[in-house]
Amino acid sequence: MLVDYLMGAAACAAVGVTAIRDRARLRHALQIAVSTLGRTIPALFLAVLAAQLLTPLIPNKVIGGWIGPESGMGGVLIASAFGAIIPGGPVVSFPIVLIFQAGGAGSPQLIALLSAWSVVAIHRLAAFEVPLMGVHFALRRLAASLVLPPLSGLIALLLS
Amino acid sequence: MEHRPSPTHLQRHGHLALPVALVSVATVLSLAFLGPSGFVAGLWAGTADFASLAPRIMAAVILAAVMQAWLPREGLGKWFGEGRGVRGLAIASAAGAVTVGGPFASFPLVAALAAAGVEAGLLIAFLTGWSLIGIQRIIIWEWPLMGSDFVVLRLASCITLPVLAGLLMRRLSRR
């Protein structure tokens, strides 16, 4: 809750400072904000809607059992493996995370899932990384990154 | 006059294809398993949920937009001359975290840096910083949808990992 107010205050301060220092930049920022709103509002709404429609269909016991707060490091590993095969951007991953959260998943497990989705990102690998950087680079990056999702879950387990 | 979707129209709304498909599947499943009343309940829950998120989303979008307007568009490349130590990796990670835009924005940049001879560890640190702790995604998606406690825990768990990935990459490259 405190962070919510801080973020609101930060947004107001950012607009205020920009208005005083650089009017042209403020206009630019407002243009970015409007176009971002146009792109983001429908995507966020659909993501939340999909999550709310699917949540009652997912049996809580299944999710809680596999990746619940009690599942520990085993749950972190399962969540990492699942996150690695989620294709697409945040409009796909966040509804899944919301559904899992409502179904009783633990935060460290969800963190591992999001980490795996972020660093492995099979859609990005196929569409951008291999064509632009080459197979060799992509494989080496994967090798250097595979340990990160379980590690992020482990650190979250230790912190929480 | 006949309305025909122009390419720009498709480009503007193409990113919604996946979420629309997702909601369509959710609608069919919801109607099949829970019936019309269950579907309407889900519809209301989704709308109420979204309405409660609206203030956070507005603040998030404004903050992200002002940030984007102040960040340098070019010149990220000069951040990559900072030597081979952990410091260079940390700077590359931070540069990745503040790089806005999807893979359309980041990968051409990384390809250009690679062509300019920037070492692989720095490139991995940049890419991991961008994908794992990208500020824009945190502000616009994670904070409104997951709340601040989750964001703080995830950041604390992930903040050192891009540097670690860079170090691992250097190990791999030496062989």
Side-chain angles (χ1 to χ4, degrees), chain A residues 4 18 25 39 52 118 140, chain B residues 15 49 56 69-70 143 173:
Chain A
D4 289 354
T18 310
R25 211 180 281 276
R39 287 177 62 86
Q52 285 291 351
S118 311
R140 276 193 305 162
Chain B
H15 70 290
D49 208 11
R56 277 191 199 165
W70 279 101
W143 172 59
S173 303

Side-chain angles (χ1 to χ4, degrees), chain B residues 60-71:
Chain B
V61 166
I62 290 169
L63 197 57
V66 176
M67 220 179 71
Q68 199 175 336
W70 279 101
L71 282 173

